[in-house]
Amino acid sequence: MTQTSQISASRQAPGLSLGVVMPWLLSAAALVLLPMVFTANSAITVMNQMAITIIFALAYNMLLGQGGMLSFGHAVYMGVGGFACMHIMNMSDFFAALPLPVLPIFGGLVGMGLAIVVGSFSTRSSGTVFAMISLGVGELIAACSIIIVVFFGGEEGISGDRTYGLPFFGIEFLRQIEVYYLTAFWLMLSALLMFLFSRTPIGRIANAVRDNPERAEFLGYSQRWVRFHSFVASGFFAGVAGALFAINYEILTEENLNLATSGEILLVTFLGGVGFFFGPIIGAIVFTLLRTVLGLETELWALYVGLLFLVTVMYFPGGLAGLLMMHSPAVKMKRLRSLVVPYAKVLVPGAFAIIGAACLIEMVFHLRHAPPGDHQMTLFWISFDSHTILPWTVSAVLLIGGGWLAKRFAPEMANSYHAATSLDGGGA
Amino acid sequence: MTSALEITNLRKSFGQTEIIRGVDLSVRKGERHAVIGPNGAGKSTLYNLITGRFAQTAGTVQLHGQDLRGKAPFQINRLGLSRSFQITNIFPNMSVFENIRCALLWTRGYKYSFWTLVSRKQDLTDAADEILAQINLTSRRDLPAGVLSYAEQRALEIGITIAGGADVIMLDEPTAGMSHSETDYIVELIRQVTENKTLMMVEHDMGVVFGLADRISVLVYGEIIATGTPEEVRGNPRVQEAYLGTAMEDH
């Protein structure tokens, strides 16, 4: 899955071509225009959250995807960066002389400082040892949040007020939209810097160490130092994400450091796809949407996200980005249209099967957890009595019928996929 | 004559078993030196000792007069020694071109740089393309290395090994598992790319060794039993007895 991205990188001419600049320009334009389309405050909150998660996931992928380091405790670099920024916000004299948009630099530097300390011993080896050290350090710092109350604020955490900063061209960041543009600016800058990092000698060698550490050693590189550099850079951007979190929410707690947050970013990154630079971006967008939109609809949203993650790991190890890039040959050969019908034949019944399954899960949940006597429930805008046989039958029929149809047309879909993506049009 | 590699009384034990039992070997500057020996003679172990993959039990290995004891592979590489592996050891997910470019980074002084963009460095691109031309893989430039044929991967491995500009090249069975025509191709390639360099290679194929090497050492049960020109080794009765036997007459 990583192949395509790396090859296209090596083909780049020394100059900047339109194909390279275009995605960045489009992203920047989208970031500028989005709040004009989604004007609601809640939408802007979701977009801010998305931007922060994207930066964090991209930083995480510098380790996982680019460097082959599986970290179970990366939340601490974001969290500690955020806590430090919270403290800067509370230093009234200093903060009054500091424009808010500059604050993420401090978050980044603190995250980087912590990464230098931890990385000095954790990057000694990769694989399981690295993963275990990251887990241990993650736990350690999360535990410190209750012990070192001065810095972490104990159970209530640390809060502050972003508006006390030096007004930035008259902007005091009172309004959500102002914070949005600050976050979007840092998102573009961080993403661009992280992308460029992957194109530097150290970024390329990080890939080499990931694929074959021993060979890289025989090219003159110390695998430990290569990992250390990636780790420190990743710590910086995680700290930037932490600073943006502090600016957005004006409070940080133990939750920003703990293993649940660390695990979540692993899930986000993997869901999006570690093999491509833009994978974590997709992962962060999808995950944030699932959490906010699905989270409004059902208490069981985490179950569905978990299932999605499981399916991704088992069937699409390249993640959503890998799934998209699987179709790039079909796009190049302009055969995408030949896929529409066979895909619809599988995906539409498949969607019904998923809806059926979700209904069954929700009804079981309702049956078990609704207060006694409450038989009414609403699913997909339909209200019904969960104690009658009809909704159960409908759901089961959807699940079984949809599943059967999807399974029946799956070979056809696979065939048309191969036909559309192979050079000879699938004749072989 | 100065030696590029000087090995003195090298020993290596794994537990009770002594695999390398006092090897003395000197590889002269600019020569092509082959180490041959039957399976299990300790050829690969000797290699791994020289290149810092294993630590020796006793004895010394000197590269250009510098003791290599306790040095990590990357430190040894920086002193001017580069090696290939018996099992193809490339970066399979990267393009062929990337493989070579990565091999160039350190010696071209880019080191741990995070402020230069590799694609903007014309010298890197040119040098990598030059090596690709040398190993005849220009037409495969942008393919992922993992999809190359076996012989092409071996050629790429040699390309990676020489790219860093090391003056001592160590190849571990470069023609293992190859057909006759592939072997001829790789031997010719090795001859070209090691011009004016010191080559040390471990090899199984007699034809390769006698055609390519200036001097040959024969390793049997962890000891060098003979060193000399191909003719001298061919005529050595101990070698014939211990290892070559009838295989000699074929060549």
Side-chain angles (χ1 to χ4, degrees), chain A residues 2-3 6-7 10-12 14-16 196-197 199-202 204-205 207-208 211-212 214-222 225-226 229, chain B residues 51 53 73-74 77-78 83 85 89-91 93-94 97-98 103 105-106 110-114 116-120 122 142 144 157 160-161:
Chain A
T2 53
Q3 292 151 5
Q6 275 148 0
I7 291 162
S10 71
R11 261 195 199 135
Q12 284 166 23
L16 287 172
L196 292 177
F197 181 86
R199 265 55 186 158
T200 61
I202 183 74
R204 305 315 301 156
I205 281 293
N207 285 174
D211 289 349
N212 197 337
E214 181 166 51
R215 196 68 181 98
E217 285 253 318
F218 282 104
L219 300 179
Y221 279 92
S222 153
W225 272 101
V226 172
H229 280 77
Chain B
T51 54
R53 217 176 171 199
F74 68 89
N77 181 270
R78 290 177 199 171
R83 73 167 286 181
F85 291 79
N89 215 340
I90 55 176
F91 305 113
N93 292 328
M94 295 187 179
F97 173 77
E98 269 296 343
L105 289 173
W106 185 270
Y110 291 100
K111 304 193 173 176
Y112 298 108
S113 156
F114 49 85
T116 39
L117 292 177
V118 280
S119 58
R120 300 203 146 218
Q122 201 56 45
D142 296 320
E157 165 117 36
I160 295 172
T161 309

Side-chain angles (χ1 to χ4, degrees), chain A residues 8 33 114 125 148 156 216 224 296 305 371 387 409:
Chain A
S8 59
L33 295 177
L114 182 64
S125 46
I148 310 175
E156 15 356 330
R224 180 183 177 176
L296 282 178
V305 174
H387 284 61
F409 290 116

